[in-house]
Amino acid sequence: MQNKPFSPARPVYLISAGSVSGSKEKRGPLGDLFDFSGDDRFGKDTWEKAESEMQRLALGIALRKAELIDSEIDLLFAGDLVNQCLPSAFGLAGYRIPYLGLFGACSTCAEGLLLGALTAGTCARRTAAVTSSHFCTAERQFRMPLEYGGQRPPTAQWTATGAGAFLLSALPRDALRCGGGFVPRITEVMPGCTVDRGITDVCNMGAAMAPAAADTVSRYAASGGSLADAVIVTGDLGAEGSGIFIDLLRAEGIDVGKRHLDCGLALYDPETEDIHAGASGCGCSALVMAASVLRDIREGETGDVLFVGTGALTNAMASCQGQSIPGVAHLVRIHPVPRDQIREDGGI
Amino acid sequence: MQNKPFSPARPVYLISAGSVSGSKEKRGPLGDLFDFSGDDRFGKDTWEKAESEMQRLALGIALRKAELIDSEIDLLFAGDLVNQCLPSAFGLAGYRIPYLGLFGACSTCAEGLLLGALTAGTCARRTAAVTSSHFCTAERQFRMPLEYGGQRPPTAQWTATGAGAFLLSALPRDALRCGGGFVPRITEVMPGCTVDRGITDVCNMGAAMAPAAADTVSRYAASGGSLADAVIVTGDLGAEGSGIFIDLLRAEGIDVGKRHLDCGLALYDPETEDIHAGASGCGCSALVMAASVLRDIREGETGDVLFVGTGALTNAMASCQGQSIPGVAHLVRIHPVPRDQIREDGGI
């Protein structure tokens, strides 16, 4: 059982998503796809409060799109990168939904979708998964004050400013209210193991996370999970991590090069933004998944997606204590179901 | 559905628990019940590494008691109070178990049991929930360096040094291997909503958390959940929070005074330890539940237990930004099943 993916006990659909981005992300190639973009402060007097506001807005947008209110959601999974995940706690406190806090670093989006799918597949009917990151909260907490002007090596990534909220439902009538010719359905999930290859460079998160991503995909394939006809969308390996990821899998005889996309390489235009190895952060994969990938699924522009959210488990003190940086990566398989195959009397 | 408890789809048993404590906890009334106690350093050169070591030991003990190895566990839920929950990530990295990080502050024990039960009830067979806290990591991170000698008001609580690990299984044969005449079974769980009553005193976590605990118990009772013949065990409300909790429920016509115990008031002897309002921390409830409450259940010394793990969602920066302290509390109902009622051919 441990090395097999889990399937929700009944069909679980991703019925809506809300995406709220900062200004840099708005300027990027996906800028027109975000539901809302702000000036990075979102009317608040601190960066942490701004990040909370993004989460609040993102979940509100997702609810509105699904024509639901908070009392109709049974469970809410959320987390972020800030110490004790406070942006999530404060940003979502106004929604009266049972709240389960997560910490998976940048893999939180996948972790929330994974747990949201497993619980909506059984005990709950509708669940929500929300996550965010903010460049300024991350820089302050993990690295240096912005005014310091610290130099970033080529392997460094840029923490995205953005929040994504996802609603999952086991009710076919919810699925039938979605737009588009296809409805995204989570068919399998594979939680990842922590993998530590001894990377200690805090400016090379891609290298820290790639082994975990490769490990999860490898375990999925070994369990019989199909990689054919699916595109693998990693969270934020960036340029450095993506190359390592592909190499590690190739060494096991798994060639994913032509079927791999990375959210960290999709968020910004490298021609106009100096973001070195790409975007990172919980918000990176959340924005790309919410605004772009799910849209492509709904419009029938892609087949199955294997979303592999990647996280680096570290904090500002760990490197001072000589610790390396473990990674973790969770896999969520999303399948486009033609709308006309969903029966309203199916399910619960 | 939102205001009804969830029940695992099949019987889920708490088949073993491991408890590892620090020295102060060893001196307390439950000291002889812990599986292992150390000198707070556990052979490590930093407090954070010591906390990791406690988690590693606790899970190892739980596995050994259940005669299982890590590859037989399908999911591992873990978290702690340290930034980015690193003690959990590092402490458990040596176990090859799919890892899902949680952040629920001091409610993490209940959150892990809740998710462990829901997943073991469906897709997984065996799950694990681990959590910890350490007085020194908490003081350094949330308050002052130990050498500062800061004064603690009467409402302050003492963060416990300890780790608890719990194994849950849907396999009757696992349950039958447990010691004692009764096997603890998780029959219902009720995830809590965040509740913020505007408490800003970081030295009064009891007041911050009590409203959330009362809210969860109230919702449980309103949904038809039975409080009669059950003892409510809160995580770490302490003296201040326990009084508020009882008062809030009494105002709703729910009288739990005679059926309430608090882990924060069970861990230390107030006659010999100057711990003001009681113990706190993820490790507080984990130690008491693992070493004492589950033992009482197995020995038939108590009936149903409603474990209400309580958490205060705050960090060192939040009060500087004028934020209040929301609380969250998750309920887990544990029922003692007579061993002779469990059939080996039942379940999966």
Side-chain angles (χ1 to χ4, degrees):
Chain A
M1 175 82 62
Q2 196 192 59
N3 279 322
K4 288 191 187 307
F6 299 129
S7 291
R10 58 190 178 204
V12 173
Y13 303 98
L14 270 157
I15 60 170
S16 77
S19 55
V20 175
S21 88
S23 56
K24 191 185 192 78
E25 295 70 23
K26 176 65 175 172
R27 293 195 300 268
L30 308 179
D32 291 343
L33 300 180
F34 302 133
D35 293 304
F36 182 75
S37 298
D39 65 351
D40 305 324
R41 287 196 175 274
F42 292 88
K44 302 299 179 184
D45 60 359
T46 74
W47 301 122
E48 287 74 16
K49 290 179 183 177
E51 189 174 342
S52 288
E53 183 63 3
M54 288 196 294
Q55 287 214 18
R56 188 189 72 79
L57 290 168
L59 182 55
I61 290 167
L63 286 168
R64 192 184 68 233
K65 285 184 184 180
E67 298 174 17
L68 296 169
I69 59 175
D70 58 351
S71 61
E72 298 177 283
I73 310 299
D74 301 313
L75 275 177
L76 169 54
F77 296 94
D80 55 79
L81 299 177
V82 173
N83 295 338
Q84 288 72 56
C85 300
L86 284 207
S88 304
F90 283 118
L92 304 172
Y95 295 101
R96 182 85 168 140
I97 308 173
Y99 179 88
L100 292 168
L102 306 178
F103 184 74
C106 306
S107 74
T108 302
C109 183
E111 187 182 356
L113 289 174
L114 182 154
L115 286 170
L118 290 180
T119 48
T122 56
C123 54
R125 297 167 311 171
R126 300 184 182 106
T127 59
V130 189
T131 190
S132 65
S133 56
H134 194 302
F135 175 75
C136 301
T137 61
E139 287 302 298
R140 184 221 298 273
Q141 180 176 279
F142 289 110
R143 287 170 281 276
M144 298 294 176
L146 301 179
E147 299 85 346
Y148 179 72
Q151 295 303 295
R152 306 160 64 78
T155 55
Q157 290 169 255
W158 189 278
T159 306
T161 299
F166 304 83
L167 296 187
L168 300 87
S169 174
L171 298 171
R173 64 178 185 267
D174 287 347
L176 290 169
R177 276 207 301 264
C178 297
F182 296 83
V183 182
R185 176 183 158 191
I186 294 180
T187 53
E188 289 177 315
V189 300
M190 189 129 192
C193 297
T194 55
V195 178
D196 188 344
R197 292 287 179 259
I199 303 297
T200 56
D201 182 358
V202 296
C203 292
N204 194 349
M205 293 298 180
M209 296 187 292
D215 181 69
T216 297
V217 172
S218 171
R219 286 171 52 231
Y220 179 72
S223 73
S226 173
L227 301 182
D229 302 325
V231 60
I232 297 175
V233 177
T234 47
D236 56 354
L237 294 178
E240 183 79 0
S242 291
I244 297 170
F245 170 70
I246 291 170
D247 287 349
L248 287 172
L249 287 175
R250 188 177 295 127
E252 297 194 35
I254 301 172
D255 185 0
V256 301
K258 296 197 173 72
R259 290 176 286 115
H260 170 242
L261 300 173
D262 183 70
C263 298
L265 296 174
L267 198 58
Y268 305 121
D269 178 358
E271 300 292 318
T272 57
E273 300 280 7
D274 181 22
I275 40 73
H276 294 227
S280 67
C282 309
C284 170
S285 58
L287 283 175
V288 176
M289 289 298 296
S292 178
V293 175
L294 289 183
R295 171 187 170 277
D296 288 351
I297 290 176
R298 289 193 301 270
E299 300 301 320
E301 292 176 17
T302 180
D304 277 31
V305 167
L306 296 179
F307 171 42
V308 183
T310 46
L313 304 172
T314 189
N315 69 18
M317 186 184 291
S319 57
C320 302
Q321 296 192 4
Q323 298 278 39
S324 51
I325 307 169
V328 68
H330 305 300
L331 182 152
V332 177
R333 187 180 192 107
I334 307 172
H335 173 70
V337 179
R339 173 180 300 285
D340 55 16
Q341 285 185 10
I342 300 173
R343 291 173 43 196
E344 177 131 14
D345 60 354
I348 314 169
Chain B
M1 176 82 63
Q2 195 193 62
N3 279 322
K4 287 194 188 307
F6 298 130
S7 291
R10 56 191 178 203
V12 173
Y13 303 98
L14 270 157
I15 61 171
S16 77
S19 55
V20 175
S21 89
S23 57
K24 190 185 192 80
E25 295 70 24
K26 175 66 175 172
R27 294 195 299 270
L30 307 179
D32 291 341
L33 299 180
F34 302 132
D35 293 303
F36 182 74
S37 297
D39 64 351
D40 305 323
R41 286 195 176 273
F42 292 89
K44 302 299 180 184
D45 60 359
T46 74
W47 301 122
E48 286 74 16
K49 291 179 182 177
E51 190 175 340
S52 288
E53 182 65 2
M54 289 196 294
Q55 287 213 19
R56 187 189 73 79
L57 290 168
L59 182 54
I61 289 168
L63 286 167
R64 193 184 66 235
K65 286 184 184 180
E67 300 174 17
L68 294 169
I69 58 176
D70 57 353
S71 61
E72 298 177 283
I73 310 298
D74 301 313
L75 275 177
L76 170 55
F77 296 95
D80 55 79
L81 298 178
V82 173
N83 296 338
Q84 287 71 55
C85 299
L86 284 208
S88 303
F90 283 119
L92 304 172
Y95 296 101
R96 183 84 168 143
I97 308 173
Y99 179 87
L100 293 168
L102 306 179
F103 184 74
C106 306
S107 74
T108 302
C109 183
E111 187 182 356
L113 290 175
L114 183 154
L115 286 170
L118 291 181
T119 47
T122 55
C123 53
R125 297 166 312 171
R126 300 184 182 104
T127 58
V130 189
T131 189
S132 64
S133 56
H134 194 301
F135 175 76
C136 301
T137 62
E139 287 301 298
R140 184 220 300 272
Q141 180 177 280
F142 288 109
R143 286 171 282 274
M144 297 294 176
L146 301 179
E147 300 85 347
Y148 179 71
Q151 295 303 294
R152 307 160 62 79
T155 55
Q157 290 168 255
W158 189 278
T159 306
T161 298
F166 304 84
L167 296 187
L168 300 87
S169 175
L171 297 170
R173 64 178 186 267
D174 287 347
L176 290 168
R177 276 206 302 264
C178 298
F182 297 81
V183 183
R185 176 184 160 191
I186 293 180
T187 53
E188 288 177 315
V189 300
M190 188 128 193
C193 297
T194 55
V195 178
D196 188 344
R197 292 287 178 260
I199 304 296
T200 55
D201 183 356
V202 296
C203 293
N204 194 349
M205 294 297 179
M209 296 187 293
D215 181 70
T216 296
V217 172
S218 170
R219 286 171 51 231
Y220 180 72
S223 73
S226 173
L227 300 182
D229 303 325
V231 61
I232 297 176
V233 177
T234 47
D236 56 353
L237 293 179
E240 183 78 0
S242 291
I244 297 170
F245 170 69
I246 291 170
D247 286 349
L248 287 172
L249 287 175
R250 187 177 295 129
E252 295 194 36
I254 301 171
D255 186 0
V256 301
K258 295 196 173 72
R259 290 176 286 113
H260 171 242
L261 301 174
D262 182 70
C263 299
L265 296 175
L267 198 57
Y268 305 122
D269 179 358
E271 301 291 317
T272 56
E273 300 280 5
D274 181 21
I275 40 75
H276 294 228
S280 66
C282 309
C284 170
S285 58
L287 283 176
V288 176
M289 289 298 296
S292 178
V293 175
L294 289 183
R295 172 187 169 276
D296 288 351
I297 290 175
R298 288 193 302 268
E299 300 301 320
E301 292 177 17
T302 182
D304 279 30
V305 167
L306 297 179
F307 170 42
V308 183
T310 46
L313 304 172
T314 190
N315 69 16
M317 185 184 293
S319 57
C320 302
Q321 296 194 4
Q323 299 277 40
S324 52
I325 307 169
V328 68
H330 305 300
L331 181 150
V332 177
R333 187 180 192 109
I334 308 172
H335 172 70
V337 179
R339 173 179 302 284
D340 55 17
Q341 285 185 13
I342 300 173
R343 290 174 43 197
E344 177 131 13
D345 60 353
I348 314 169

